[in-house]
Amino acid sequence: GAVVSQHPSRVICKSGTSVKIECRSLDFQATTMFWYRQFPKQSLMLMATSNEGSKATYEQGVEKDKFLINHASLTLSTLTVTSAHPEDSSFYICSASPGPAAEQYFGPGTRLTVT
Amino acid sequence: QKEVEQNSGPLSVPEGAIASLNCTYSDRGSQSFFWYRQYSGKSPELIMFIYSNGDKEDGRFTAQLNKASQYVSLLIRDSQPSDSATYLCAVSHGSARQLTFGSGTQLTVLP
């Protein structure tokens, strides 16, 4: 159990375009989902926390107008990178939690390359 | 600033030996502590979590927590080449149990 999927697994886009990444909890309802970013040779950095039906909470330094997060249902959250630039190229990973005191289950990640 | 510190390594141990990974954290309000393993190009996978002071064992893995010293460790017994990966220490805090990750320790188990 506790499977989280992400789509796409890999995406290449041109600078200035937008990219949407989906995160789904397949066998449980996720009251909270988290979005992380990981640059090469670095650790995961939390970008934002999203709760179903409410606005996401962004970490300091993360532009909410650039990284749009929608958590429309208990099994789906989306991250849209708007007007992507090469410096946005990174490994984006989501995680989902069935409750506030439960552990997080990670998706397989999405590798974004902006050319 | 909530910080989680790990020795980046690389740490090399021979097959069959005990690998010891260490982590310190700055926020005394931290509630739960996690060890994740991450293979290159993959997302993290949970190995163990610990909430209370003391030791917690799961197979070849033992997590140790000392809240007074703000220190958590992971011991891997009978290390195998397949254990070669980056090990991430993570600490949860806040009402939503956000995770703060350390920079990771790269472990290589030599056959």
Side-chain angles (χ1 to χ4, degrees):
Chain A
V3 178
V4 177
S5 69
Q6 272 184 253
H7 178 79
S9 59
R10 190 179 293 268
V11 58
I12 300 172
C13 71
K14 292 187 176 181
S15 186
T17 62
S18 296
V19 174
K20 179 185 283 188
I21 302 170
E22 292 187 350
C23 176
R24 293 181 185 273
S25 56
L26 299 184
D27 52 3
F28 66 99
Q29 293 188 328
T31 57
T32 307
M33 287 184 169
F34 303 86
W35 287 96
Y36 296 85
R37 180 168 54 181
Q38 186 176 35
F39 292 107
K41 305 291 186 185
Q42 295 186 25
S43 192
L44 279 76
M45 296 298 295
L46 179 64
M47 298 176 66
T49 302
S50 77
N51 292 295
E52 184 265 339
S54 62
K55 289 184 178 180
T57 302
Y58 290 81
E59 295 298 301
Q60 190 173 9
V62 178
E63 301 174 56
K64 62 179 182 180
D65 294 329
K66 180 172 180 63
F67 298 99
L68 303 179
I69 293 173
N70 184 287
H71 192 161
S73 76
L74 285 171
T75 60
L76 173 64
S77 176
T78 61
L79 167 68
T80 300
V81 183
T82 63
S83 186
H85 291 284
E87 57 265 31
D88 297 323
S89 298
S90 188
F91 192 40
Y92 291 85
I93 309 172
C94 74
S95 71
S97 176
E103 55 267 34
Q104 295 181 28
Y105 300 95
F106 283 84
T110 296
R111 190 161 302 281
L112 169 64
T113 303
V114 184
T115 60
Chain B
Q1 179 88 14
K2 299 175 178 61
E3 294 182 351
V4 180
E5 301 284 344
Q6 290 182 257
N7 187 329
S8 62
L11 173 66
S12 294
V13 299
E15 185 175 355
I18 296 175
S20 177
L21 305 163
N22 304 315
C23 172
T24 59
Y25 58 96
S26 63
D27 182 11
R28 284 194 174 274
S30 300
Q31 299 139 334
S32 308
F33 308 86
F34 302 82
W35 283 99
Y36 287 87
R37 175 173 62 196
Q38 186 176 27
Y39 293 110
S40 180
K42 304 294 185 182
S43 68
E45 55 179 319
L46 180 65
I47 298 175
M48 291 189 71
F49 58 88
I50 185 167
Y51 303 128
S52 305
N53 276 327
D55 295 0
K56 180 180 178 182
E57 187 174 316
D58 184 0
R60 296 187 295 114
F61 300 96
T62 300
Q64 299 174 317
L65 174 61
N66 184 325
K67 289 187 177 181
S69 300
Q70 295 175 243
Y71 173 91
V72 58
S73 67
L74 179 71
L75 299 177
I76 306 175
R77 290 182 299 281
D78 188 23
S79 296
Q80 302 296 309
S82 58
D83 294 327
S84 299
T86 296
Y87 288 79
L88 301 169
C89 172
V91 174
S92 76
H93 50 87
S95 58
R97 300 293 196 268
Q98 294 95 331
L99 290 180
T100 298
F101 282 84
S103 57
T105 298
Q106 185 179 345
L107 172 68
T108 300
V109 180
L110 303 170

